[in-house]
Amino acid sequence: MADDPITPESPVGLNQSKIENQKPVRRSLGEGGSKIQRLLAYRLLLGLALGVFVVDQLTKLWIAHRLPLGTYGEAGGAIPVIRGFFYIVHQGNPGAAWSMFAGQGVLLAWLAAGTLVAIFFWRRALGLRARPAQVCFGLLCGGIVGNLLDRLVHGHVIDFIDLHFGSYIYPTFNVADSGICVGVIVYLILSLRAPN
């Protein structure tokens, strides 16, 4: 964070040639503001990440204490929120989205940790000083950390939101998954709308 240029602009909505023509600002750790000031430049990202993480973990904690693992369907003890559409269940997902890579928890944990490290190192290229990018990556990072903690503590991700659309049953998910999906989708939309 020490050599992040202080600018409200980012690749999201910024002309690429303008980025390439900017000269990097190099500062030693003691120059250009304290570590706290540099950290505060990312306060929206950090606040959203913390918010998603806390809500995710609190909802999973409630689910784990309210329903036994494996609870699914009304006959099995699921809580109907809107009958025929929205149920609260308790499922353990040992894989990624839609249970892909089931049984690869260690690989998925390393992938999640690597993603967080990559976001940190490429924060300038990702334009994380800009508020729209901070919103997207705050949601993404909060979700990644929430699911990573599940893998480390439980050996699987706790999923509990179960949606039905007629005969189609959407894969069960959680708050962290929602943060990840919304963050990625909004960032992609903003990136596609950015001028060349």
Side-chain angles (χ1 to χ4, degrees), residues 1 4 11 42 114-129 133 137 187:
M1 292 181 211
D4 286 348
Y42 298 97
T115 300
L116 292 170
V117 169
I119 290 169
F120 174 78
F121 280 111
W122 285 310
R123 65 190 176 278
R124 283 180 286 143
L126 293 168
L128 294 189
R129 287 279 178 131
F137 280 88
Y187 188 75

Side-chain angles (χ1 to χ4, degrees), residues 35 56 77 92 96 99:
K35 289 181 182 179
D56 177 65
S99 295

Side-chain angles (χ1 to χ4, degrees), residues 2 6 27-38:
I6 299 175
R27 298 181 188 134
S28 68
L29 287 177
E31 296 177 38
S34 70
K35 289 181 182 179
I36 297 294
Q37 287 173 321
R38 291 191 304 269

